[in-house]
Amino acid sequence: MTADQAGFRTASPRGFLTLGRTVAVPVRRVSVATALVLLLLTAGAAVATLSLGRLGIPLADLAGALTGGAEGKDAFVLERLRGPRLVVALGTGAALGLSGALFQSVTRNPLGSPDVIGLGSGAGAGAAIAALMLPDTVPVSLGALLGAVLAMVLVYVSTGTGFRNPARLVVAGIGVAAICTAVTQYVVYAMERDRAAVLSAYVNGSLSARAWDDASTIWLVLLVAAPLCALIARRLDIGEMGDDIAAGLGSEPQRTKTLAVVLAIVLCAGAVSVAGPIAFISLTAAQVAKRLTRVSGPHLLLSALTGALLLVLADLAAQQLPLFDNLPVGIYTMAIGGAYLGYLLTREWRRGVL
């Protein structure tokens, strides 16, 4: 299926972002406009996160609080309760969105995401073992991270070609995900039900009780990975024309794919280490970014912005909706992902594709 048949334009008007007199970076105008809208929406959601509810900072005092004038209750909300949670949500959403865009670009599969290759399931299994079999010995967050890393090692070994073959990567990932899910279910079944309650946040993904250390972790991962993503963005764009053309243009498609998958795993693992395996953000964000611009390409920056917006909105719902108390944010992202997939199925059915 070509980009035009899928509903995306292969080209759009471009302008140039100039840095001094010697550097001119080509940018699509529709992408710039979309990025600005996403930034404004994210800023609005962030303000709502800090200001709504019984403990919210009044809008009239919010600007002063953000510039260092917070005192009393406002200082507690900004520095301990909602401030770290918001910063973690922004970083985690951006990391997951960027990870999903990289993975979908490499696999050329609109439904591809790191979740498919067992990273989230591995994190859940690691969290289950740490929380229920090694309590007070291994932190649950560390167990989740180690489980995700081990799952990726199993995928890498079982494909026989590392991360270079997208088809083998997906098949091996599905198998590893099934094994990890079985491990999680066994551990929860074998242990007392009361002790299993601590596992809920890391199985579903949660942003409750996050601290500035968590924010530092995810933003450090982004700081390291984002420049490397920018360096391969052009090669990923060329790679969407096919491996033969990409090789002829010198973009080294196999090496680019391997690096993209590694970066996707690093970003997703960083998100898992601070928030648990939050589902569907990496899958949905990249797709939403493409459909907003209707232009082909990996859309790395827009996917990161979309992921940040979606996760902040999901966490806002988790904090403010009165029907459910302390529901993990991962439940809401599952609802977002399910609703989006339902929309896609309905849309394709009406077009007569299905």
Side-chain angles (χ1 to χ4, degrees):
M1 179 181 290
T2 65
D4 291 329
Q5 289 171 333
F8 303 116
R9 297 188 297 269
T10 56
S12 67
R14 294 194 181 204
F16 288 91
L17 175 65
T18 59
L19 302 174
R21 296 183 178 182
T22 58
V23 179
V25 181
V27 293
R28 292 188 175 100
R29 295 170 186 172
V30 65
S31 297
V32 173
T34 303
L36 291 175
V37 171
L38 289 171
L39 284 171
L40 289 174
L41 291 174
T42 303
V47 169
T49 296
L50 295 175
S51 61
L52 291 180
R54 181 171 57 87
L55 294 176
I57 303 172
L59 283 176
D61 302 330
L62 184 57
L66 291 173
T67 54
E71 297 179 353
K73 175 183 76 71
D74 291 351
F76 174 75
V77 170
L78 185 61
E79 297 171 9
R80 300 287 298 275
L81 187 61
R82 296 188 184 178
R85 182 170 181 160
L86 173 62
V87 177
V88 171
L90 289 168
T92 302
L96 290 173
L98 185 54
S99 177
L102 289 168
F103 197 81
Q104 289 177 22
S105 178
V106 168
T107 61
R108 298 174 194 163
N109 185 344
L111 297 180
S113 78
D115 301 330
V116 174
I117 62 172
L119 194 147
S121 300
I129 294 172
L132 303 181
M133 301 183 73
L134 301 170
D136 303 323
T137 302
V138 177
V140 179
S141 58
L142 178 59
L145 180 59
L146 292 176
V149 172
L150 180 58
M152 292 304 95
V153 171
L154 289 175
V155 171
Y156 184 91
V157 172
S158 60
T159 60
T161 57
F163 297 135
R164 296 192 297 273
N165 190 311
R168 291 189 182 185
L169 184 64
V170 171
V171 173
I174 292 173
V176 170
I179 294 171
C180 293
T181 300
V183 171
T184 302
Q185 296 300 325
Y186 170 77
V187 172
V188 173
Y189 177 79
M191 296 297 165
E192 297 89 346
R193 187 170 299 176
D194 291 340
R195 292 175 65 192
V198 73
L199 186 61
S200 175
Y202 279 93
V203 170
N204 296 300
S206 175
L207 292 170
S208 298
R210 291 294 152 314
W212 289 113
D213 288 344
D214 301 308
S216 300
T217 297
I218 188 59
W219 281 98
L220 179 61
V221 171
L222 278 170
L223 184 64
V224 172
L228 297 176
C229 293
L231 288 175
I232 66 170
R234 182 60 179 165
R235 291 188 174 190
L236 290 172
D237 203 358
I238 295 173
E240 295 199 350
M241 294 186 290
D243 288 352
D244 292 339
I245 296 177
L249 294 174
S251 70
E252 300 178 292
Q254 296 304 322
R255 182 177 297 180
T256 300
K257 288 179 182 180
T258 299
L259 180 56
V261 171
V262 170
L263 287 172
I265 290 171
V266 168
L267 287 162
C268 199
V272 164
S273 70
V274 300
I278 295 178
F280 278 115
I281 294 294
S282 58
L283 171 66
T284 308
Q287 281 295 298
V288 171
K290 276 200 172 190
R291 293 183 183 279
L292 286 174
T293 60
R294 301 191 65 80
V295 175
S296 63
H299 298 290
L300 300 183
L301 175 60
L302 294 183
S303 297
L305 293 175
T306 303
L309 174 60
L310 290 176
L311 190 53
V312 170
L313 289 175
D315 190 47
L316 180 62
Q319 294 182 67
Q320 300 299 331
L321 285 183
L323 299 178
F324 309 101
D325 187 28
N326 296 323
L327 199 63
V329 70
I331 303 296
Y332 289 92
T333 63
M334 289 180 191
I336 292 173
Y340 180 70
L341 290 177
Y343 157 75
L344 286 182
L345 288 173
T346 303
R347 181 173 177 271
E348 297 303 309
W349 175 71
R350 287 178 176 175
R351 292 173 59 188
V353 177
L354 298 178

